[in-house]
Amino acid sequence: MPAFGLSGPWRDNTGFAQTMEQISGLAWVTGYPHDQPRIQRGPSDPNAGMHAAFALLVALAERDSTSHGQHVEVTMVEAALNASAEQVIEYTAYGNLLQREGNRSPHAAPQNLYACQGAEQWLAISVATDAQWDGLKRALGRPRWADQPGLESLAGRRAAHEQLDQELSAWAAGQRLDRAVDLLLHQGVPAAPAVDPRLTPLHPQLRARGYYEELDHPIVGTHPIPCLPFRFSGVERWLRRPAPTVGQHSREILEEWLGMSGDELDALEDTEVIGTQPKL
């Protein structure tokens, strides 16, 4: 899984997830129109891993079919270019240079986050169809501004997105988040609260699925830990022990696996080669 491949002029260049997000164009479409491109800070790592796992399965199937093994090479940059292919297709096919749009979408308008009553109470709305637009108008009590010419079409709403954001921001500011979500959903409008990721362990669906497993750690106590996103019928729990503390297993490993004596381990501790406290 080299950054740029095992051949070519860039074969020795170092690359990480953030490198790929910039060189593939993913950063170009991330952020707000008035601001610089923003890196996503990491998705190219699991994206490369996903492509590698798929390539490995193909290679194993080929081995089973032909009895010949395969050398599998999965470059991070090519996997990232697969994820950003929409930009290439839009430009080569239609001459459209996709730009940063913040929370907006070329396929929905209005679409954004709007602050409701209280601190950090954000309402997400995404109106993708004319029927959903009619539902939004009903939920808002059919205000006069919503009947302006042009707003009956997606193109018109996209062109007037700034005004729509202003009107919806003013409306949301006077609403409780939970009430606003229920009101909009009742009228067929896609809406949801923007969830603080620190609160996801409290989500009833994730709790019912057992996505978080609690572990006792000797330093930080008991905490819910995100688990693997799949289930095996024969595995009740994936996480069996917490992350080790500094040097917790050093003596055990050096004695059992390398055959070092207690005196040798004591000497390593005395000279601070091993230990259970980080050196300041």
Side-chain angles (χ1 to χ4, degrees):
M1 294 178 63
F4 298 101
L6 299 178
S7 60
W10 279 36
R11 61 162 302 199
D12 294 324
N13 289 357
T14 301
F16 303 93
Q18 289 87 345
T19 317
M20 305 309 149
E21 288 147 20
Q22 296 180 74
I23 200 170
S24 65
L26 288 171
W28 179 262
V29 292
T30 303
Y32 291 90
H34 59 275
D35 202 0
Q36 67 192 54
R38 298 286 179 178
I39 59 174
Q40 296 88 358
R41 303 186 66 80
S44 285
D45 277 337
N47 180 61
M50 178 187 68
H51 281 79
F54 179 75
L56 178 62
L57 292 175
V58 174
L60 290 173
E62 182 72 7
R63 182 204 61 183
D64 293 344
S65 175
T66 66
S67 298
H68 293 290
Q70 299 288 331
H71 175 242
V72 180
E73 177 190 354
V74 183
T75 72
M76 290 189 72
V77 68
E78 291 169 15
L81 287 169
N82 273 350
S84 63
E86 181 184 9
Q87 297 181 61
V88 179
I89 294 172
E90 280 289 331
Y91 187 76
T92 56
Y94 309 112
N96 297 330
L97 179 62
L98 298 183
Q99 301 284 357
R100 295 177 293 285
E101 292 199 78
N103 294 317
R104 296 178 184 177
S105 165
H107 311 296
Q111 174 174 291
N112 213 331
L113 293 173
Y114 305 97
C116 292
Q117 292 177 350
E120 298 295 332
Q121 298 292 296
W122 294 93
L123 168 66
I125 298 176
S126 180
V127 175
T129 68
D130 295 341
Q132 291 169 1
W133 170 246
D134 288 338
L136 179 60
K137 291 196 296 183
R138 291 193 301 271
L140 300 181
R142 296 194 175 277
R144 293 180 60 184
W145 60 263
D147 289 326
Q148 294 179 43
L151 296 183
E152 66 278 358
S153 69
L154 173 61
R157 295 192 293 275
R158 286 265 296 165
H161 214 305
E162 289 291 341
Q163 179 192 357
L164 297 181
D165 279 347
Q166 292 176 9
E167 299 290 355
L168 288 172
S169 294
W171 173 79
Q175 303 293 319
R176 274 181 32 201
L177 177 58
D178 55 351
R179 181 183 181 280
V181 170
D182 290 342
L183 176 64
L184 293 167
L185 292 178
H186 182 71
Q187 297 296 338
V189 181
V195 177
D196 185 332
R198 295 169 296 180
L199 301 179
T200 53
L202 303 178
H203 195 285
Q205 179 66 15
L206 295 177
R207 290 175 67 89
R209 293 281 298 167
Y211 174 67
Y212 286 92
E213 294 181 1
E214 288 194 344
L215 282 177
D216 293 322
H217 192 276
I219 304 299
V220 299
T222 302
H223 286 275
I225 308 298
C227 206
L228 298 176
F230 47 80
R231 299 285 177 271
F232 284 1
S233 60
V235 177
E236 184 176 351
R237 281 181 60 91
W238 288 109
L239 306 180
R240 296 177 174 85
R241 65 179 64 179
T245 57
V246 174
Q248 178 180 348
H249 303 117
S250 294
R251 294 184 69 98
E252 174 186 342
I253 292 172
L254 293 173
E255 183 177 10
E256 293 185 10
W257 291 84
L258 297 184
M260 299 185 72
S261 67
D263 290 341
E264 289 175 312
L265 295 175
D266 291 340
L268 290 178
E269 285 190 346
D270 292 340
T271 55
E272 297 185 324
V273 174
I274 63 174
T276 57
Q277 295 291 330
K279 294 187 67 174
L280 301 178

